[in-house]
Amino acid sequence: MEPDFSPLAEFLGDDFDGYLISADGSDSNQLYLSGFDAPDPYTTLYTPEGTHLLVSTLEYGRAKKESRADTVSRLSDYDYMEKYTEYGPVVGKAKVLAEFLADHDVASLAAPDDFPLATADALRDEGVSIEGETDDVLTTIRAVKDDDEIDHIHDAQKATQASMHAAEDLIRAADVADDGTLRYEGEPLTSERVKEEIEVTLLRHGCALNETIVACGADAADPHNRGSGPLSANEAIIIDIFPRNKATKYNGDMTRTFVKGEPTEEVREWFDLTEEAFNAALDAVEPGATGEDVHDAVCDVYEAAGENTLRADQSAETGFIHSTGHGVGLDVHELPRVSQNGEELKPGHVITIEPGLYDPEIGGVRIEDMVVVTEDGYENLTDYPVELVVE
Amino acid sequence: MEPDFSPLAEFLGDDFDGYLISADGSDSNQLYLSGFDAPDPYTTLYTPEGTHLLVSTLEYGRAKKESRADTVSRLSDYDYMEKYTEYGPVVGKAKVLAEFLADHDVASLAAPDDFPLATADALRDEGVSIEGETDDVLTTIRAVKDDDEIDHIHDAQKATQASMHAAEDLIRAADVADDGTLRYEGEPLTSERVKEEIEVTLLRHGCALNETIVACGADAADPHNRGSGPLSANEAIIIDIFPRNKATKYNGDMTRTFVKGEPTEEVREWFDLTEEAFNAALDAVEPGATGEDVHDAVCDVYEAAGENTLRADQSAETGFIHSTGHGVGLDVHELPRVSQNGEELKPGHVITIEPGLYDPEIGGVRIEDMVVVTEDGYENLTDYPVELVVE
């Protein structure tokens, strides 16, 4: 399906002739605007009249076939190697870009806020005006998914679920050694072993391996700690899986918290409270509500129960110390924000809901599903039980 | 081992007070300068007197423990949320950065050439001068590896070799169907099946999955085509594997070309010629030679045999249509260049040597090893036979 770029044309208006991206295909804005993926940087120029690519000779044939651009030019059409040799890569490239832009009658540009600084300044030296836009124009377009994109994300989530099942099954099948650590088939069951199982399962489902979190005990109390070493019984194990489908490039994302054996009273209470916050957040998801409303629903539950939150204390290091969620698409973190300052939710937004509580003395718990905002609420793209104890 | 940043201090000289990176840990310059990895953007300020990190509260504890910074500050120390709410994320962040920089007596900055444009312009509005450096200062430091880094790269290459063996074994074990396609255990042996085998093998060796090329016949004639569908006997199959070790973040890279059955006369000639070019390139690798010298050695062999090259015709679409190689480290493509304009080689540079020939009428062949430049030549970090026919 062809994205609707009319909000981009509208944004350009009388202020800018075009929108320029210079990045490789790992940049999701580039992937989305060009409809093309290549491992080395290339240039996409969007104008309300058409989209134009500038690529290396190596990518020329494929770009003509695969991209959504109206025209494709080669760096060599603008004597790139000569300019590179005389002026170096950055200024040489800017001189090529200036000629390419002139060919498309473009003298003033908007660009993503992370457009490379040195190239922008070199373009300015060539008389081209360029501004990094901070209005999230392109990322706001990307945030609203069409049916094909939602299918891609749903498929990635199914792979995520399959790998969560594989991880849970390992923990279920483990024995508990005398020292409380888990053992599987005579070996210590480590975070690394569970991650390998998750990753192999994802691979068999066409998903690329990203970082995966399998964090136990005090490790789990740091939401960005990936976890390492032996897993233990009676402690909370957070498993957070966020893979990308290799073909479609869309992501999935989910988290569960498991205890093998008997949770402490505090972990049990935290889990129940987090499930309550999770359900309160889901209840708040509907078009017209903001990401901040959804985040507030979580903070309200936690604060009413006497837990600390970043909303109450922005330097908090224990309690609920991250956002409620984020958009998911070509990037695993994208718009809309589901946090303080979160945007208004619209049908087609795909977001995570992932409240959690953290304290090195207790451990960590987090529950995360991914949902799509619909005309009258949301549809949960995740189908996995919310249960703490694995027996 | 602590990198030697004295060339960076020297570059700053009297012109700049410090060097600033604002990126997440997927940016190798950030990873290298900060000694810290986080999934969301954070800021590293290098000055000749010390290195200073600015991170979210979420990363604060881990940054203090894991990074190589002398000081770590939090966004909340500078009232980021208030500024974000009043000015938006980019200008709000720039106001925080300006205060953070002032605290470290920094008013003028150099930055990587890809520093985000909107943040740079917002910093300028706050009275901070900032310039994207195009002298490759940091990437030139990164290009020279110490012994630990070479070990990490060597380990990644051993995993690469293990996965190449797994791929070659699959092709060896395959049968040839009546229509010439390969079959393995009763199923078509596809590019996708071989890639899965490669990727699972890499995973078992602690390497993260990147894109992998298994391209047969006409697919192999496009060096960036990843390949798809059934593999065929008597056609060249290019397998290019470039994984990253998940723990060390260093990469490996190698390519072999296989034919199951009987190669055409042209493919056989191309393979022998490419092996000759490959050996000529290796012979040219020594300190003091340039990446361009090594590239020229390859072009000389190909052109003497009547093959087209980009050196002879920069819009060539068949023949030898890419560089001879590239540096490998935290990025799979980094300095030095082994191409036209390639830099002088120095001991500790790790580079690939990967000549190849391409034509949709014939297919493609490529041979690639990875070597480290030593005081008196090079050491090959790759240990894998160069043989075309798989029987």
Side-chain angles (χ1 to χ4, degrees):
Chain A
M1 212 176 285
E2 182 71 1
D4 172 16
F5 288 113
S6 60
L8 184 54
E10 207 173 301
F11 167 79
L12 297 176
D14 295 333
D15 295 333
F16 305 102
D17 300 330
Y19 194 87
L20 193 74
I21 299 184
S22 173
D24 64 36
S26 69
D27 180 290
S28 296
N29 283 329
Q30 176 66 290
L31 200 58
Y32 192 82
L33 188 67
S34 65
F36 184 60
D37 186 14
D40 297 315
Y42 54 100
T43 301
T44 305
L45 169 66
Y46 169 87
T47 74
E49 291 75 39
T51 300
H52 309 286
L53 250 62
L54 179 65
V55 302
S56 70
T57 300
L58 190 58
E59 306 291 1
Y60 183 61
R62 209 165 51 83
K64 279 194 296 188
K65 260 187 295 185
E66 297 177 7
S67 82
R68 51 169 296 280
D70 300 291
T71 74
V72 179
S73 305
R74 278 170 290 201
L75 290 171
S76 60
D77 298 336
Y78 296 95
D79 299 323
Y80 174 56
M81 278 316 294
E82 287 80 349
K83 293 186 174 76
Y84 178 116
T85 303
E86 186 165 354
Y87 302 104
V90 172
V91 175
K93 180 75 163 289
K95 287 182 182 286
V96 164
L97 286 175
E99 290 181 21
F100 167 76
L101 293 167
D103 279 354
H104 295 289
D105 295 322
V106 167
S108 65
L109 290 164
D113 62 3
D114 63 352
F115 189 91
L117 172 61
T119 302
D121 281 340
L123 274 173
R124 289 166 176 168
D125 289 342
E126 298 297 320
V128 176
S129 92
I130 180 166
E131 204 174 286
E133 56 101 352
T134 56
D135 293 358
D136 294 328
V137 181
L138 197 53
T139 47
T140 296
I141 297 173
R142 279 175 45 207
V144 176
K145 275 74 181 179
D146 65 27
D147 291 345
D148 288 346
E149 292 178 289
I150 293 166
D151 284 347
H152 293 329
I153 294 168
H154 206 161
D155 284 346
Q157 192 73 338
K158 286 175 189 163
T160 313
Q161 289 164 195
S163 65
M164 187 67 81
H165 277 296
E168 187 180 352
D169 287 348
L170 264 190
I171 293 170
R172 179 169 295 109
D175 299 312
V176 182
D178 292 343
D179 66 353
T181 59
L182 303 188
R183 299 184 70 81
Y184 178 73
E185 294 185 344
E187 301 282 328
L189 183 61
T190 59
S191 166
E192 290 80 356
R193 177 68 185 79
V194 176
K195 283 189 237 181
E196 190 179 290
E197 195 69 22
I198 289 169
E199 294 169 353
V200 169
T201 306
L202 289 172
L203 202 54
R204 302 285 185 200
H205 285 78
C207 283
L209 205 85
N210 289 279
E211 300 241 44
T212 298
I213 296 173
V214 178
C216 180
D219 278 0
D222 174 351
H224 279 180
N225 188 322
R226 272 74 179 96
S228 60
L231 303 176
S232 292
N234 311 326
E235 292 187 4
I237 303 168
I238 290 183
I239 302 186
D240 188 349
I241 310 175
F242 39 101
R244 190 181 207 193
N245 183 288
K246 287 190 286 176
T248 68
K249 308 284 183 189
Y250 284 85
N251 290 277
D253 195 356
M254 72 176 296
T255 304
R256 287 295 181 268
T257 303
F258 299 118
V259 172
K260 169 85 177 184
E262 191 65 39
T264 63
E265 198 178 323
E266 282 152 320
V267 164
R268 164 68 72 185
E269 279 174 15
W270 271 18
F271 189 84
D272 292 343
L273 185 61
T274 296
E275 188 170 6
E276 188 188 333
F278 173 78
N279 287 322
L282 287 175
D283 284 346
V285 175
E286 60 181 351
T290 64
E292 180 158 2
D293 294 336
V294 176
H295 182 62
D296 281 340
V298 168
C299 294
D300 289 348
V301 170
Y302 280 141
E303 290 170 16
E307 300 297 341
N308 204 3
T309 70
L310 276 188
R311 183 178 74 171
D313 169 11
Q314 64 168 287
S315 61
E317 292 186 50
T318 60
F320 177 48
I321 52 176
H322 55 64
S323 307
T324 291
H326 50 83
V328 178
L330 291 171
D331 285 329
V332 71
H333 286 175
E334 60 177 50
L335 291 182
R337 296 169 187 90
V338 187
S339 63
Q340 199 176 338
N341 300 308
E343 292 81 4
E344 185 181 321
L345 299 179
K346 292 183 180 167
H349 279 171
V350 174
I351 59 173
T352 66
I353 301 294
E354 47 178 313
L357 290 172
Y358 311 89
D359 185 333
E361 303 291 313
I362 299 171
V365 304
R366 182 161 69 253
I367 302 168
E368 177 185 24
D369 276 4
M370 191 172 62
V371 309
V372 55
V373 181
T374 59
E375 292 295 339
D376 51 4
Y378 69 92
E379 182 196 347
N380 198 327
L381 300 175
T382 320
D383 180 15
Y384 202 98
V386 177
E387 281 167 18
L388 176 63
V389 177
V390 176
E391 286 175 308
Chain B
M1 215 174 286
E2 182 70 359
D4 173 15
F5 289 114
S6 61
L8 184 53
E10 206 173 302
F11 168 79
L12 296 176
D14 297 332
D15 295 335
F16 305 102
D17 300 329
Y19 194 87
L20 193 74
I21 299 185
S22 174
D24 64 37
S26 69
D27 178 291
S28 297
N29 283 329
Q30 177 66 289
L31 200 58
Y32 192 83
L33 188 66
S34 66
F36 184 62
D37 186 13
D40 297 315
Y42 54 100
T43 301
T44 305
L45 170 66
Y46 169 88
T47 74
E49 290 75 39
T51 301
H52 309 286
L53 249 63
L54 178 64
V55 302
S56 70
T57 300
L58 191 57
E59 305 293 359
Y60 183 60
R62 210 165 50 82
K64 279 194 295 188
K65 261 187 294 188
E66 297 177 9
S67 82
R68 53 169 295 282
D70 300 290
T71 72
V72 179
S73 305
R74 279 169 290 199
L75 290 170
S76 60
D77 299 336
Y78 296 95
D79 300 324
Y80 174 58
M81 280 315 295
E82 288 81 348
K83 293 184 172 77
Y84 178 116
T85 303
E86 185 165 356
Y87 301 104
V90 172
V91 174
K93 181 77 162 286
K95 287 183 183 285
V96 165
L97 286 175
E99 291 180 21
F100 166 75
L101 293 167
D103 278 353
H104 295 288
D105 294 322
V106 167
S108 65
L109 290 164
D113 62 1
D114 63 352
F115 189 91
L117 172 61
T119 302
D121 281 341
L123 274 174
R124 288 165 177 169
D125 289 343
E126 299 297 320
V128 176
S129 92
I130 181 166
E131 204 174 286
E133 55 100 354
T134 56
D135 292 359
D136 294 327
V137 181
L138 196 54
T139 46
T140 297
I141 296 174
R142 278 175 43 206
V144 176
K145 275 76 182 177
D146 66 27
D147 290 346
D148 288 346
E149 292 178 289
I150 293 167
D151 284 347
H152 293 328
I153 296 168
H154 206 160
D155 283 346
Q157 191 73 338
K158 286 174 188 164
T160 314
Q161 287 163 197
S163 65
M164 186 67 81
H165 277 296
E168 187 179 354
D169 287 349
L170 265 189
I171 294 170
R172 178 170 295 110
D175 299 311
V176 181
D178 291 344
D179 65 355
T181 59
L182 303 188
R183 296 184 71 82
Y184 178 73
E185 294 185 342
E187 301 284 327
L189 183 61
T190 59
S191 166
E192 291 80 358
R193 176 70 186 80
V194 176
K195 282 190 241 184
E196 189 179 290
E197 194 70 22
I198 290 168
E199 293 170 352
V200 170
T201 306
L202 290 172
L203 201 54
R204 301 284 185 201
H205 285 78
C207 284
L209 202 88
N210 288 282
E211 301 241 41
T212 298
I213 297 173
V214 178
C216 179
D219 277 359
D222 174 350
H224 279 181
N225 188 321
R226 272 73 178 100
S228 61
L231 304 175
S232 291
N234 310 324
E235 291 188 5
I237 303 169
I238 290 183
I239 301 186
D240 188 347
I241 310 175
F242 38 101
R244 190 182 207 195
N245 183 288
K246 287 188 286 173
T248 68
K249 309 284 184 188
Y250 284 84
N251 290 278
D253 195 357
M254 72 176 297
T255 306
R256 287 296 182 267
T257 303
F258 300 117
V259 172
K260 169 87 176 183
E262 189 67 39
T264 64
E265 197 177 323
E266 283 151 318
V267 163
R268 165 69 74 186
E269 280 173 14
W270 271 18
F271 188 84
D272 292 343
L273 185 62
T274 296
E275 189 171 6
E276 187 187 333
F278 173 77
N279 287 322
L282 287 176
D283 285 346
V285 175
E286 60 182 354
T290 65
E292 181 158 4
D293 294 337
V294 177
H295 182 63
D296 280 341
V298 168
C299 294
D300 289 348
V301 170
Y302 280 141
E303 289 170 16
E307 300 297 343
N308 205 4
T309 71
L310 277 188
R311 183 177 74 171
D313 169 13
Q314 63 167 285
S315 63
E317 292 187 51
T318 60
F320 175 48
I321 52 175
H322 55 65
S323 307
T324 290
H326 50 82
V328 177
L330 290 171
D331 284 329
V332 70
H333 285 175
E334 58 176 51
L335 292 182
R337 296 170 186 89
V338 187
S339 62
Q340 198 176 336
N341 301 308
E343 292 81 4
E344 185 181 318
L345 300 179
K346 293 184 179 164
H349 279 169
V350 173
I351 58 173
T352 67
I353 301 294
E354 48 179 312
L357 290 171
Y358 311 89
D359 185 333
E361 303 290 311
I362 297 170
V365 303
R366 180 163 71 254
I367 301 168
E368 176 185 25
D369 277 2
M370 190 172 62
V371 309
V372 55
V373 181
T374 59
E375 291 295 340
D376 52 3
Y378 68 91
E379 181 196 347
N380 198 327
L381 300 176
T382 321
D383 180 18
Y384 202 98
V386 177
E387 281 167 17
L388 177 63
V389 178
V390 176
E391 285 175 311

mmCIF file of all heavy atoms in Angstrom, chain A residues 258-282:
data_model
loop_
_atom_site.group_PDB
_atom_site.id
_atom_site.type_symbol
_atom_site.label_atom_id
_atom_site.label_comp_id
_atom_site.label_asym_id
_atom_site.label_seq_id
_atom_site.Cartn_x
_atom_site.Cartn_y
_atom_site.Cartn_z
ATOM 1 N N PHE A 258 8.008 -13.961 35.207
ATOM 2 C CA PHE A 258 7.734 -15.309 35.717
ATOM 3 C C PHE A 258 8.488 -15.540 37.027
ATOM 4 O O PHE A 258 9.594 -15.024 37.219
ATOM 5 C CB PHE A 258 8.210 -16.368 34.702
ATOM 6 C CG PHE A 258 7.528 -16.284 33.357
ATOM 7 C CD1 PHE A 258 8.260 -16.010 32.203
ATOM 8 C CD2 PHE A 258 6.162 -16.491 33.237
ATOM 9 C CE1 PHE A 258 7.647 -15.937 30.958
ATOM 10 C CE2 PHE A 258 5.537 -16.423 31.987
ATOM 11 C CZ PHE A 258 6.289 -16.140 30.852
ATOM 12 N N VAL A 259 7.871 -16.345 37.892
ATOM 13 C CA VAL A 259 8.579 -16.872 39.057
ATOM 14 C C VAL A 259 8.453 -18.394 39.016
ATOM 15 O O VAL A 259 7.343 -18.922 38.911
ATOM 16 C CB VAL A 259 8.007 -16.339 40.381
ATOM 17 C CG1 VAL A 259 8.655 -17.082 41.572
ATOM 18 C CG2 VAL A 259 8.235 -14.846 40.513
ATOM 19 N N LYS A 260 9.583 -19.077 39.059
ATOM 20 C CA LYS A 260 9.578 -20.532 39.202
ATOM 21 C C LYS A 260 9.564 -20.812 40.702
ATOM 22 O O LYS A 260 10.511 -20.418 41.408
ATOM 23 C CB LYS A 260 10.845 -21.093 38.564
ATOM 24 C CG LYS A 260 11.111 -22.556 38.851
ATOM 25 C CD LYS A 260 10.377 -23.460 37.879
ATOM 26 C CE LYS A 260 10.734 -24.922 38.152
ATOM 27 N NZ LYS A 260 10.097 -25.813 37.160
ATOM 28 N N GLY A 261 8.507 -21.427 41.186
ATOM 29 C CA GLY A 261 8.427 -21.694 42.618
ATOM 30 C C GLY A 261 7.486 -20.717 43.301
ATOM 31 O O GLY A 261 6.391 -20.454 42.802
ATOM 32 N N GLU A 262 7.947 -20.156 44.388
ATOM 33 C CA GLU A 262 7.084 -19.362 45.255
ATOM 34 C C GLU A 262 7.549 -17.905 45.241
ATOM 35 O O GLU A 262 8.628 -17.592 45.729
ATOM 36 C CB GLU A 262 7.198 -19.927 46.691
ATOM 37 C CG GLU A 262 6.174 -19.380 47.662
ATOM 38 C CD GLU A 262 4.754 -19.782 47.269
ATOM 39 O OE1 GLU A 262 4.563 -20.944 46.825
ATOM 40 O OE2 GLU A 262 3.851 -18.943 47.391
ATOM 41 N N PRO A 263 6.737 -16.997 44.703
ATOM 42 C CA PRO A 263 7.144 -15.585 44.747
ATOM 43 C C PRO A 263 7.152 -15.059 46.182
ATOM 44 O O PRO A 263 6.381 -15.547 47.013
ATOM 45 C CB PRO A 263 6.081 -14.862 43.920
ATOM 46 C CG PRO A 263 4.974 -15.822 43.722
ATOM 47 C CD PRO A 263 5.455 -17.194 44.023
ATOM 48 N N THR A 264 7.995 -14.067 46.439
ATOM 49 C CA THR A 264 7.902 -13.382 47.729
ATOM 50 C C THR A 264 6.573 -12.632 47.765
ATOM 51 O O THR A 264 5.954 -12.356 46.728
ATOM 52 C CB THR A 264 9.028 -12.354 47.904
ATOM 53 O OG1 THR A 264 8.880 -11.347 46.891
ATOM 54 C CG2 THR A 264 10.402 -13.002 47.782
ATOM 55 N N GLU A 265 6.154 -12.287 48.954
ATOM 56 C CA GLU A 265 4.905 -11.559 49.101
ATOM 57 C C GLU A 265 4.968 -10.233 48.340
ATOM 58 O O GLU A 265 3.994 -9.821 47.687
ATOM 59 C CB GLU A 265 4.657 -11.316 50.586
ATOM 60 C CG GLU A 265 3.219 -10.953 50.916
ATOM 61 C CD GLU A 265 3.038 -10.785 52.428
ATOM 62 O OE1 GLU A 265 3.677 -11.555 53.181
ATOM 63 O OE2 GLU A 265 2.284 -9.882 52.825
ATOM 64 N N GLU A 266 6.131 -9.560 48.446
ATOM 65 C CA GLU A 266 6.268 -8.266 47.762
ATOM 66 C C GLU A 266 6.136 -8.414 46.248
ATOM 67 O O GLU A 266 5.485 -7.619 45.577
ATOM 68 C CB GLU A 266 7.632 -7.643 48.082
ATOM 69 C CG GLU A 266 7.695 -7.001 49.449
ATOM 70 C CD GLU A 266 9.100 -7.009 50.010
ATOM 71 O OE1 GLU A 266 9.807 -8.043 49.826
ATOM 72 O OE2 GLU A 266 9.489 -5.998 50.602
ATOM 73 N N VAL A 267 6.767 -9.441 45.671
ATOM 74 C CA VAL A 267 6.684 -9.636 44.214
ATOM 75 C C VAL A 267 5.246 -9.964 43.816
ATOM 76 O O VAL A 267 4.721 -9.453 42.823
ATOM 77 C CB VAL A 267 7.670 -10.730 43.747
ATOM 78 C CG1 VAL A 267 7.326 -11.212 42.345
ATOM 79 C CG2 VAL A 267 9.100 -10.193 43.782
ATOM 80 N N ARG A 268 4.602 -10.794 44.609
ATOM 81 C CA ARG A 268 3.205 -11.133 44.334
ATOM 82 C C ARG A 268 2.334 -9.865 44.341
ATOM 83 O O ARG A 268 1.523 -9.638 43.436
ATOM 84 C CB ARG A 268 2.721 -12.151 45.383
ATOM 85 C CG ARG A 268 1.219 -12.329 45.475
ATOM 86 C CD ARG A 268 0.621 -12.992 44.262
ATOM 87 N NE ARG A 268 0.948 -14.410 44.202
ATOM 88 C CZ ARG A 268 0.626 -15.200 43.185
ATOM 89 N NH1 ARG A 268 -0.014 -14.699 42.134
ATOM 90 N NH2 ARG A 268 0.959 -16.479 43.180
ATOM 91 N N GLU A 269 2.517 -9.017 45.362
ATOM 92 C CA GLU A 269 1.750 -7.759 45.437
ATOM 93 C C GLU A 269 2.064 -6.849 44.252
ATOM 94 O O GLU A 269 1.168 -6.243 43.655
ATOM 95 C CB GLU A 269 2.076 -7.010 46.732
ATOM 96 C CG GLU A 269 1.322 -7.544 47.939
ATOM 97 C CD GLU A 269 1.783 -6.870 49.220
ATOM 98 O OE1 GLU A 269 2.461 -5.820 49.149
ATOM 99 O OE2 GLU A 269 1.478 -7.406 50.309
ATOM 100 N N TRP A 270 3.334 -6.736 43.938
ATOM 101 C CA TRP A 270 3.745 -5.893 42.798
ATOM 102 C C TRP A 270 3.137 -6.380 41.491
ATOM 103 O O TRP A 270 2.753 -5.594 40.643
ATOM 104 C CB TRP A 270 5.279 -5.906 42.681
ATOM 105 C CG TRP A 270 5.938 -4.849 43.487
ATOM 106 C CD1 TRP A 270 5.408 -4.140 44.515
ATOM 107 C CD2 TRP A 270 7.271 -4.368 43.297
ATOM 108 N NE1 TRP A 270 6.330 -3.257 44.992
ATOM 109 C CE2 TRP A 270 7.475 -3.372 44.263
ATOM 110 C CE3 TRP A 270 8.300 -4.680 42.422
ATOM 111 C CZ2 TRP A 270 8.674 -2.677 44.370
ATOM 112 C CZ3 TRP A 270 9.495 -4.008 42.517
ATOM 113 C CH2 TRP A 270 9.681 -3.008 43.495
ATOM 114 N N PHE A 271 3.113 -7.700 41.335
ATOM 115 C CA PHE A 271 2.563 -8.269 40.107
ATOM 116 C C PHE A 271 1.083 -7.943 39.988
ATOM 117 O O PHE A 271 0.605 -7.486 38.941
ATOM 118 C CB PHE A 271 2.792 -9.780 40.067
ATOM 119 C CG PHE A 271 2.435 -10.390 38.737
ATOM 120 C CD1 PHE A 271 3.346 -10.381 37.691
ATOM 121 C CD2 PHE A 271 1.186 -10.958 38.521
ATOM 122 C CE1 PHE A 271 3.025 -10.926 36.452
ATOM 123 C CE2 PHE A 271 0.848 -11.505 37.285
ATOM 124 C CZ PHE A 271 1.779 -11.483 36.252
ATOM 125 N N ASP A 272 0.362 -8.157 41.093
ATOM 126 C CA ASP A 272 -1.080 -7.880 41.063
ATOM 127 C C ASP A 272 -1.336 -6.395 40.812
ATOM 128 O O ASP A 272 -2.231 -6.017 40.042
ATOM 129 C CB ASP A 272 -1.728 -8.312 42.387
ATOM 130 C CG ASP A 272 -1.714 -9.838 42.537
ATOM 131 O OD1 ASP A 272 -1.523 -10.533 41.518
ATOM 132 O OD2 ASP A 272 -1.888 -10.325 43.673
ATOM 133 N N LEU A 273 -0.545 -5.548 41.446
ATOM 134 C CA LEU A 273 -0.700 -4.107 41.270
ATOM 135 C C LEU A 273 -0.349 -3.695 39.821
ATOM 136 O O LEU A 273 -1.030 -2.856 39.219
ATOM 137 C CB LEU A 273 0.221 -3.378 42.261
ATOM 138 C CG LEU A 273 0.113 -1.867 42.319
ATOM 139 C CD1 LEU A 273 -1.294 -1.434 42.743
ATOM 140 C CD2 LEU A 273 1.165 -1.289 43.288
ATOM 141 N N THR A 274 0.672 -4.337 39.280
ATOM 142 C CA THR A 274 1.076 -4.030 37.898
ATOM 143 C C THR A 274 0.012 -4.499 36.912
ATOM 144 O O THR A 274 -0.277 -3.822 35.919
ATOM 145 C CB THR A 274 2.455 -4.653 37.605
ATOM 146 O OG1 THR A 274 3.416 -4.027 38.465
ATOM 147 C CG2 THR A 274 2.872 -4.447 36.157
ATOM 148 N N GLU A 275 -0.608 -5.640 37.198
ATOM 149 C CA GLU A 275 -1.695 -6.102 36.332
ATOM 150 C C GLU A 275 -2.879 -5.125 36.415
ATOM 151 O O GLU A 275 -3.528 -4.845 35.395
ATOM 152 C CB GLU A 275 -2.132 -7.518 36.714
ATOM 153 C CG GLU A 275 -3.126 -8.087 35.706
ATOM 154 C CD GLU A 275 -3.414 -9.570 35.901
ATOM 155 O OE1 GLU A 275 -2.926 -10.165 36.890
ATOM 156 O OE2 GLU A 275 -4.141 -10.133 35.049
ATOM 157 N N GLU A 276 -3.114 -4.578 37.610
ATOM 158 C CA GLU A 276 -4.182 -3.586 37.769
ATOM 159 C C GLU A 276 -3.851 -2.317 36.959
ATOM 160 O O GLU A 276 -4.714 -1.767 36.254
ATOM 161 C CB GLU A 276 -4.349 -3.248 39.257
ATOM 162 C CG GLU A 276 -5.544 -2.366 39.565
ATOM 163 C CD GLU A 276 -5.543 -1.914 41.045
ATOM 164 O OE1 GLU A 276 -4.978 -2.629 41.905
ATOM 165 O OE2 GLU A 276 -6.078 -0.821 41.303
ATOM 166 N N ALA A 277 -2.601 -1.883 37.030
ATOM 167 C CA ALA A 277 -2.173 -0.701 36.274
ATOM 168 C C ALA A 277 -2.260 -0.957 34.766
ATOM 169 O O ALA A 277 -2.679 -0.088 33.989
ATOM 170 C CB ALA A 277 -0.739 -0.326 36.672
ATOM 171 N N PHE A 278 -1.875 -2.166 34.391
ATOM 172 C CA PHE A 278 -1.919 -2.599 32.990
ATOM 173 C C PHE A 278 -3.356 -2.538 32.459
ATOM 174 O O PHE A 278 -3.627 -1.965 31.385
ATOM 175 C CB PHE A 278 -1.355 -4.028 32.953
ATOM 176 C CG PHE A 278 -1.444 -4.772 31.662
ATOM 177 C CD1 PHE A 278 -0.550 -4.514 30.635
ATOM 178 C CD2 PHE A 278 -2.393 -5.780 31.478
ATOM 179 C CE1 PHE A 278 -0.609 -5.239 29.448
ATOM 180 C CE2 PHE A 278 -2.456 -6.494 30.301
ATOM 181 C CZ PHE A 278 -1.565 -6.227 29.272
ATOM 182 N N ASN A 279 -4.288 -3.070 33.226
ATOM 183 C CA ASN A 279 -5.694 -3.044 32.803
ATOM 184 C C ASN A 279 -6.264 -1.629 32.795
ATOM 185 O O ASN A 279 -7.059 -1.271 31.916
ATOM 186 C CB ASN A 279 -6.529 -3.966 33.697
ATOM 187 C CG ASN A 279 -6.251 -5.432 33.390
ATOM 188 O OD1 ASN A 279 -6.061 -5.796 32.225
ATOM 189 N ND2 ASN A 279 -6.183 -6.264 34.423
ATOM 190 N N ALA A 280 -5.816 -0.813 33.761
ATOM 191 C CA ALA A 280 -6.270 0.587 33.775
ATOM 192 C C ALA A 280 -5.774 1.316 32.525
ATOM 193 O O ALA A 280 -6.497 2.128 31.927
ATOM 194 C CB ALA A 280 -5.756 1.281 35.033
ATOM 195 N N ALA A 281 -4.557 1.018 32.110
ATOM 196 C CA ALA A 281 -4.005 1.644 30.901
ATOM 197 C C ALA A 281 -4.796 1.213 29.672
ATOM 198 O O ALA A 281 -5.180 2.036 28.834
ATOM 199 C CB ALA A 281 -2.527 1.282 30.754
ATOM 200 N N LEU A 282 -5.066 -0.086 29.564
ATOM 201 C CA LEU A 282 -5.829 -0.586 28.415
ATOM 202 C C LEU A 282 -7.201 0.081 28.367
ATOM 203 O O LEU A 282 -7.679 0.474 27.291
ATOM 204 C CB LEU A 282 -5.982 -2.106 28.492
ATOM 205 C CG LEU A 282 -4.717 -2.925 28.195
ATOM 206 C CD1 LEU A 282 -4.982 -4.409 28.426
ATOM 207 C CD2 LEU A 282 -4.236 -2.693 26.754
#
